[in-house]
C-alpha cells in the first residue's frame, strides 16, 4: 500500500491512540464488504486494515513516523531501533477480516443491529435501536471417573475467553477458573451450564458454556443407569457346586457374596442398594448386579468324562 496511513484513516499525525481506534471503527464499519458494495470499497477496507495494524502498534508507528513506509517495509539498521522503533521488515498479513475480528471481538457487528426493518445507516450505530442476540452455546466434554460420579467432587476448569476492554472498542484474551460441583449419581450426558461465560463482543451477548458429562471406562464395573454390573469369572465346577464371590465396592468395602444356586449362563445375582447413588436422593442407591463368565475346560480325558457322566446321571 503506497498511500499515507494517516490519510487512509482520515486523521492527523498528532492523534491519540483512542482517536486511531475511533477512526478505524468508523471507517471499517462504513467500508466493510458486507455493508458497502461501491467500487473501490474492498480495496479501501484492505487499506484500513493495514493502516490500523501499523498505527495501533507503538513500535510500528514509531518506525513509520520516523522512516516512512519505505523504512517500515524495507527494514532499518539495528542502531536506529534502540529507541523502541520497529527494526524488522514489516509485512501486512493481508487479511483485513482478521484485523476487523480482532478489533470488534466478532465476525460481524452488523448482525445484531436492527433499525425498524430499514437498512442500517452508520448513525444507527450511535442512535438507532439496538437488539443484541446471543451466540450459540459452546459445548465441551467433561470426562469423569466412575468414582467421581459415585462420591461427587469439585472440578476446577480454566478457560480462556475474549473480554471487552474498558474503552468498549477493543478486546483481549483473559483466563478464568470455572468451578463444577459434581453431584453423586450424575449420569452420562448431564449438562452443566455457565451462563454468558463465552467470548464478549460489542454487539453480541456472550454464549453460554456447557459442559457435558462423559463417564470414563471403569476396570471393574459397567454402569447401567443407577445399577452397577460386575462380571465374575468362575469355573464350571464352581457354577455347579456353589462358591462365594468377593467384590470391592466403590466406597471401599469388601463384599463376600455366597452363591448356592446352580449358575447357568443367564443367571444373575442382584444385591439391592449396592449400586450408584440416586441424584435426587443420594441416600438411596441402585442395585449391584453380578453376572458370571463360566470357564469351561478346553478338554477332558476319557476317565474324567466318565466320572462327570456318572455324577450327572440322575436316577429316580
Amino acid at each position: 500500500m503506497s498511500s499515507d496511513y494517516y490519510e487512509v484513516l482520515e486523521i492527523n499525525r498528532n492523534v491519540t491512540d483512542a482517536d486511531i481506534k475511533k477512526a478505524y471503527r468508523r471507517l471499517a464499519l462504513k467500508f466493510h464488504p458486507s455493508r458497502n458494495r461501491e467500487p473501490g470499497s474492498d480495496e479501501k477496507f484492505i487499506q484500513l486494515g493495514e493502516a490500523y495494524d501499523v498505527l495501533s502498534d507503538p513500535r510500528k508507528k514509531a518506525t513509520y513516523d520516523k522512516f516512512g513506509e519505505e523504512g517500515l517495509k524495507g527494514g532499518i539498521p539495528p542502531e536506529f531501533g534502540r529507541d523502541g522503533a520497529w527494526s524488522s521488515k514489516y509485512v501486512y498479513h493481508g487479511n483485513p477480516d482478521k484485523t476487523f475480528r480482532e478489533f470488534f471481538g466478532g465476525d460481524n457487528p452488523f448482525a445484531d443491529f436492527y433499525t425498524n426493518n430499514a437498512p442500517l445507516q452508520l448513525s444507527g450505530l450511535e442512535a438507532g435501536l439496538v437488539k443484541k442476540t446471543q451466540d450459540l452455546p459452546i459445548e465441551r466434554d467433561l470426562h469423569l471417573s466412575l468414582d467421581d460420579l459415585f462420591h461427587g467432587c469439585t472440578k476446577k476448569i480454566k478457560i480462556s475467553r475474549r473480554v471487552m476492554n474498558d474503552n468498549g472498542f477493543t478486546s483481549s484474551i483473559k483466563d478464568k477458573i470455572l468451578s463444577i460441583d459434581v453431584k453423586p449419581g450424575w449420569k452420562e450426558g448431564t449438562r452443566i451450564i455457565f451462563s454468558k461465560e463465552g467470548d464478549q463482543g460489542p454487539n453480541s451477548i456472550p454464549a453460554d458454556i456447557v459442559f457435558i458429562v462423559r463417564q470414563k471406562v471403569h476396570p471393574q464395573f459397567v454402569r447401567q443407569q443407577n445399577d452397577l454390573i460386575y462380571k465374575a469369572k468362575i469355573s464350571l465346577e464352581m457354577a455347579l457346586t456353589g462358591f462365594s464371590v468377593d467384590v470391592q465396592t466403590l466406597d471401599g468395602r469388601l463384599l463376600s457374596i455366597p452363591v448356592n444356586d446352580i449358575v447357568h449362563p443367564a443367571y444373575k445375582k442382584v444385591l439391592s442398594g449396592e449400586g450408584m447413588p440416586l441424584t435426587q436422593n443420594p441416600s438411596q442407591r441402585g442395585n449391584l448386579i453380578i453376572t458370571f463368565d463360566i470357564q469351561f475346560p478346553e478338554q477332558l480325558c476319557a476317565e474324567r468324562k466318565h466320572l462327570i457322566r456318572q455324577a450327572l446321571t440322575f436316577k429316580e
Side-chain angles (χ1 to χ4, degrees):
M1 185 179 73
S2 58
S3 55
D4 186 282
Y5 290 140
Y6 290 96
E7 290 182 1
V8 170
L9 289 175
E10 300 178 5
I11 53 179
N12 61 49
R13 289 179 174 266
N14 297 321
V15 294
T16 64
D17 184 61
D19 292 329
I20 294 171
K21 291 180 171 63
K22 183 177 180 181
Y24 175 75
R25 181 178 187 272
R26 177 175 63 84
L27 294 172
L29 291 171
K30 180 179 179 180
F31 289 98
H32 192 280
S34 67
R35 297 292 303 158
N36 193 324
R37 301 311 305 165
E38 295 180 1
S41 62
D42 288 350
E43 179 63 26
K44 177 69 173 179
F45 187 64
I46 295 173
Q47 292 177 346
L48 289 168
E50 182 174 339
Y52 178 75
D53 187 62
V54 172
L55 297 184
S56 63
D57 185 298
R59 296 181 67 237
K60 296 174 189 174
K61 181 176 181 297
T63 300
Y64 178 72
D65 288 344
K66 188 171 184 178
F67 300 99
E69 184 180 357
E70 182 177 352
L72 179 72
K73 294 185 175 181
I76 58 173
E79 58 268 20
F80 289 104
R82 292 173 183 171
D83 59 354
W86 181 267
S87 59
S88 302
K89 294 182 180 181
Y90 168 72
V91 178
Y92 182 53
H93 52 66
N95 186 352
D97 285 326
K98 177 183 177 182
T99 305
F100 186 84
R101 288 194 303 271
E102 290 175 349
F103 182 89
F104 285 99
D107 290 334
N108 184 5
F110 306 103
D112 303 327
F113 289 92
Y114 300 87
T115 55
N116 300 324
N117 295 323
L120 179 67
Q121 302 299 319
L122 188 62
S123 59
L125 294 171
E126 309 297 336
L129 297 176
V130 177
K131 179 180 179 181
K132 293 186 177 182
T133 57
Q134 187 173 18
D135 295 335
L136 293 175
I138 301 169
E139 297 185 347
R140 296 288 183 268
D141 288 341
L142 176 64
H143 295 278
L144 298 172
S145 69
L146 192 57
D147 293 270
D148 290 337
L149 296 170
F150 182 89
H151 296 285
C153 62
T154 298
K155 295 292 184 180
K156 304 284 187 181
I157 300 175
K158 183 171 75 172
I159 63 169
S160 297
R161 61 175 187 155
R162 187 175 295 278
V163 297
M164 295 302 299
N165 296 327
D166 293 338
N167 60 23
F169 301 127
T170 60
S171 60
S172 55
I173 301 297
K174 292 187 178 180
D175 293 337
K176 183 172 182 178
I177 302 296
L178 300 179
S179 180
I180 299 177
D181 292 325
V182 178
K183 305 300 182 185
W186 271 6
K187 296 183 177 68
E188 173 97 6
T190 297
R191 299 167 69 87
I192 307 99
I193 301 174
F194 290 89
S195 179
K196 301 178 183 177
E197 290 289 357
D199 289 343
Q200 297 177 359
N203 310 314
S204 63
I205 301 171
D208 294 341
I209 295 181
V210 182
F211 290 96
I212 304 173
V213 170
R214 303 299 180 198
Q215 181 183 295
K216 298 178 183 178
V217 175
H218 192 273
Q220 184 173 341
F221 297 107
V222 174
R223 182 180 183 180
Q224 290 184 357
Q225 296 300 321
N226 295 318
D227 295 336
L228 292 175
I229 313 299
Y230 176 85
K231 180 177 285 188
K233 286 187 177 182
I234 61 173
S235 67
L236 178 58
E237 174 193 353
M238 295 166 67
L240 296 176
T241 61
F243 58 98
S244 65
V245 57
D246 293 337
V247 179
Q248 186 79 37
T249 64
L250 292 173
D251 55 2
R253 292 174 296 121
L254 181 63
L255 301 180
S256 186
I257 304 150
V259 180
N260 298 315
D261 302 321
I262 292 177
V263 177
H264 52 80
Y267 179 86
K268 296 178 181 179
K269 185 78 172 180
V270 178
L271 281 75
S272 299
E274 293 291 351
M276 292 293 292
L278 277 59
T279 305
Q280 302 82 356
N281 185 2
S283 64
Q284 306 254 332
R285 289 165 58 175
N287 299 326
L288 172 62
I289 302 173
I290 304 176
T291 62
F292 299 92
D293 181 8
I294 304 171
Q295 306 293 303
F296 284 77
E298 294 183 1
Q299 59 184 7
L300 291 171
C301 65
E303 181 181 357
R304 289 181 178 272
K305 288 181 181 180
H306 176 70
L307 292 173
I308 292 174
R309 191 176 296 114
Q310 283 186 324
L312 296 179
T313 300
F314 301 100
K315 297 181 179 180
E316 296 184 359

